[in-house]
Amino acid sequence: MTGALTIVGLGPGTPDWITPAAQAALDAATDLVGYGPYLERLPEREGRVKHASDNRVEVERAAHALRLAAEGRKVAVVSGGDPGVFAMAAAVFEALEAGPAEWHAIPISVEPGITAMLAAAARAGAPLGGDFCAISLSDNLKPWEVVTARLAAALAADFVICLYNPISKARPWQLGEALELAAKHREADTPVLFARAIGRPDESLRVLTLGEATAAAGTADMATLVMIGASSTRLIAREGGESYVYTPRSVAKSPCATSQGRT
């Protein structure tokens, strides 16, 4: 078998955030497999075939990529952001486990990308400076009761919480419910980020209070990363833009605690 499969993270938007290793995998591919809008970000090239599909057929897409690789093709499965974060890497291995034994001989590698929460955090300052977690609000693959149970546990543990897949046309209410749950654990002035399309020409970053964010839940979409601050998350006002947002590395109350001890 001479085929191979690489799962590639394209980052959140700008080509500047595609790693050299990910770009090399794209350049070496004979076939690109992915969700249509992600494939549209990549230029056409003679001899390289694009296989586009809808956003709700991840395992089927992965199985198609594995079949191509089994036929001897050099396949790149593309994801936005990082392929291992709520994305195609898990789908590929799920399809591999369920597929024929001969697929196990296919060389498979994963090239990481910048995931949305890291891009959003970089734009805002350092909101992920302390402990944090990521939760997908989509209930396509898990019950909503599981989502809310995990969210409640993360809120009780006082993590900064990054919410992926916050809202869609089919799920217009879930972000509002999640933020209402957050309000039971966090103060109303807790910083919340609405980071939309970071790294793309239409990007926007809003720094809201939790109270404002709950009222504004309907303005988010699937391109929005929502980040709920911890009780220690702080704002630094600045002229000409949104406040800097950061979470101290220390749990001490002093805002200067992180300058003490090792770095």
Side-chain angles (χ1 to χ4, degrees):
M1 182 181 295
T2 59
L5 189 152
T6 305
I7 311 161
V8 179
L10 299 180
T14 174
D16 294 340
W17 288 348
I18 298 178
T19 70
Q23 187 62 58
L26 295 171
D27 292 341
T30 60
D31 295 77
L32 301 178
V33 176
Y35 177 41
Y38 295 150
L39 291 182
E40 291 172 3
R41 290 166 53 182
L42 301 173
E44 302 291 338
R45 194 187 72 192
E46 185 177 355
R48 185 170 70 181
V49 181
K50 291 182 178 181
H51 305 263
S53 54
D54 188 67
N55 66 339
R56 290 200 178 191
V57 292
E58 288 90 349
V59 176
E60 294 89 342
R61 180 188 306 145
H64 178 57
L66 287 161
R67 283 191 292 269
L68 290 171
E71 294 168 2
R73 309 290 289 178
K74 303 291 186 183
V75 182
V77 176
V78 301
S79 276
D82 181 274
V85 179
F86 306 122
M88 282 304 299
V92 168
F93 290 109
E94 182 179 348
L96 178 69
E97 184 178 26
E102 55 265 30
W103 283 0
H104 293 197
I106 299 171
I108 299 175
S109 58
V110 181
E111 291 297 344
I114 297 173
T115 188
M117 66 181 179
L118 300 183
R123 285 286 193 261
L128 304 181
D131 294 332
F132 62 90
C133 70
I135 296 175
S136 171
L137 290 190
S138 173
D139 61 353
N140 290 333
L141 300 175
K142 59 182 181 290
W144 179 243
E145 293 76 15
V146 172
V147 177
T148 54
R150 292 175 177 176
L151 180 58
L155 287 162
D158 202 17
F159 289 116
V160 174
I161 302 172
C162 304
L163 299 178
Y164 282 72
N165 305 314
I167 198 168
S168 71
K169 291 180 180 179
R171 301 181 290 102
W173 54 271
Q174 286 161 303
L175 177 59
E177 185 169 312
L179 292 170
E180 289 174 3
L181 178 60
K184 297 178 181 179
H185 295 263
R186 298 280 200 276
E187 298 294 333
D189 61 353
T190 299
V192 176
L193 305 182
F194 278 31
R196 186 186 183 281
I198 300 300
R200 304 179 213 170
D202 58 338
E203 76 167 54
S204 65
L205 175 67
R206 288 182 286 165
V207 180
L208 308 173
T209 66
L210 179 54
E212 292 169 340
T214 302
T219 66
D221 60 16
M222 283 292 284
T224 307
L225 186 286
V226 177
M227 191 179 300
I228 304 170
S231 63
S232 58
T233 301
R234 305 175 66 85
L235 299 179
I236 301 175
R238 64 183 177 122
E239 294 184 6
E242 292 283 9
S243 297
Y244 292 119
V245 185
Y246 86 101
T247 304
R249 292 175 294 166
S250 170
V251 296
K253 293 183 179 180
S254 169
C256 297
T258 55
S259 66
Q260 302 168 8
R262 63 185 179 88
T263 59

